[in-house]
Amino acid sequence: MPVSPPSPAAMPAATNAAMAATRDLALVIRHVLAGLGHGIHAGRERGAGVEFSEYRAYAPGDEWRRVDWKLLARADRYFVREAERDSHVATWLWLDASASMAEPSRELKGVDKLWFARTALACVAAIAQRQGDAFGLAICSGGKVAFTPADRGPRHLQRVLARLAAARADGLPPTAQVLKSSLHFARAPSLVFAATDGLDWHGQSGPSPLSEALLRLRKLHHDVRLLTVRTRAEVDADFPSGAAYRDPEQETGLHRFTRADRAAYLERSAAHFGAIATNCRQHDIVHHEACIEQPLTDVLRRWLQKAGAR
């Protein structure tokens, strides 16, 4: 008698802190994607005229309607029918790894903004690989952009995961000139998943290089999907009174946060991130805000659902 399919709800829950404690990014991805049963775009062709290609073993997150139940009765194992043509939609992962992304959670040990952002993008890469799409990576760190060209397959996924795992929060974001010269993947419309803390969305003189680059990609008809991440302390202005802080991306001195500063901080923060949300709506960019203390699976599900609802 066949065994019932594994249920994602039956899997043991893992907190962000527990997942951050492991160095096996692939293991974290398997856990996060166990509850996600959909892809990242609707560019696949199904139905009449689509020829069967091959079977592959069931993986957590696969759609149950694609399981071959007759083969299950014979083999006593779950197999999925691969019967979809490639839609030729490339997926690009854009990671902000500037110094501000090193900001840690004050609640969860081992969790910082960079860990949360790169793990979310790693999950998107795994979904793209499962769909048979080409996917590439752009890491913005130390004033430079490090590219991993788009490709397909499990080996390429391991290459992308290794480079995400090796990313370190460092230095300033790339300049406008560096970013403009780096948009060489913009020849054909693609999906762009960008993860950042959003602190560099606006500069003193207007849009920052990061926001200009993403808006330019949207104008070139790329499907841009932005995730902005913050710590709960940043959202609530829950900083110890009198504590001294230094902006890791500025050369200015120490700043002290007092109780009197809290109201002004909250007002400026609301205005800043409200402007990001408005800017994204005006340019039809899917935007989702998240705290790094929120369960990563829930954040990823909502981000992809917002993208799918476009």
Side-chain angles (χ1 to χ4, degrees):
M1 181 177 178
V3 180
S4 299
S7 170
M11 297 182 64
T15 65
N16 291 353
M19 291 190 291
T22 178
R23 296 183 179 181
D24 189 344
L25 190 53
L27 180 62
V28 173
I29 290 172
R30 286 198 294 273
H31 174 81
V32 174
L33 296 189
L36 298 177
H38 54 78
I40 55 178
H41 67 82
R44 314 295 287 183
E45 298 180 56
R46 295 187 173 92
V50 179
E51 297 181 359
F52 168 75
S53 59
E54 61 180 357
Y55 288 107
R56 66 168 173 81
Y58 166 85
D62 284 332
E63 299 177 26
W64 291 115
R65 63 189 178 86
R66 293 173 56 197
V67 172
D68 192 303
W69 301 107
K70 292 183 179 179
L71 185 58
L72 168 64
R74 297 196 304 270
D76 199 28
R77 290 181 59 192
Y78 291 94
F79 289 91
V80 173
R81 293 176 60 90
E82 291 284 8
E84 301 171 331
R85 283 201 294 266
D86 192 346
S87 62
H88 302 292
V89 175
T91 297
W92 280 94
L93 315 171
W94 185 308
L95 175 65
D96 174 7
S98 56
S100 64
M101 292 292 284
E103 180 69 20
S105 167
R106 299 174 187 273
E107 303 171 22
L108 303 179
K109 183 179 179 181
V111 176
D112 59 23
K113 292 191 287 190
L114 180 64
W115 176 86
F116 194 95
R118 73 180 172 198
T119 306
L121 292 177
C123 292
V124 174
I127 296 172
Q129 189 273 324
R130 182 179 298 169
Q131 292 184 169
D133 294 327
F135 53 97
L137 173 65
I139 299 178
C140 300
S141 180
K144 301 178 182 178
V145 182
F147 272 97
T148 301
D151 204 345
R152 294 176 172 82
R155 289 185 180 180
H156 183 59
L157 177 61
Q158 294 307 311
R159 186 180 306 118
V160 166
L161 295 186
R163 292 178 182 174
L164 281 170
R168 296 292 179 266
D170 177 58
L172 298 171
T175 63
Q177 183 177 359
V178 170
L179 283 174
K180 187 174 182 180
S181 64
S182 300
L183 300 183
H184 52 72
F185 63 87
R187 297 188 183 93
S190 58
L191 290 168
V192 180
F193 284 84
T196 176
D197 58 10
L199 299 183
D200 298 303
W201 191 262
H202 295 288
Q204 294 181 350
S205 58
S208 70
L210 171 63
S211 59
E212 284 188 332
L214 293 178
L215 293 176
R216 175 176 172 78
L217 289 173
R218 185 67 192 115
K219 290 178 181 178
L220 293 172
H221 306 294
H222 294 269
D223 187 348
V224 180
R225 305 174 182 188
L226 177 68
L227 176 68
T228 52
V229 298
R230 288 186 283 170
T231 67
R232 180 67 65 186
E234 288 177 320
V235 173
D236 297 336
D238 186 15
F239 305 112
S241 181
Y245 300 94
R246 186 188 301 275
D247 188 335
E249 297 179 10
Q250 301 292 334
E251 297 180 355
T252 53
L254 294 176
H255 303 275
R256 293 193 178 276
F257 190 87
T258 66
R259 293 185 181 277
D261 297 325
R262 187 172 186 272
Y265 172 91
L266 288 172
E267 184 178 351
R268 291 195 303 269
S269 178
H272 177 81
F273 287 95
I276 294 177
T278 299
N279 207 202
C280 288
R281 284 195 300 271
Q282 290 173 341
H283 293 87
D284 194 26
I285 291 176
V286 171
H287 174 225
H288 185 59
E289 296 184 27
C291 286
I292 64 175
E293 289 82 7
Q294 293 177 276
L296 180 58
T297 304
D298 293 346
V299 171
L300 187 61
R301 180 184 296 111
R302 290 172 186 148
W303 190 24
L304 295 177
Q305 284 176 343
K306 288 187 70 172
R310 168 176 283 164

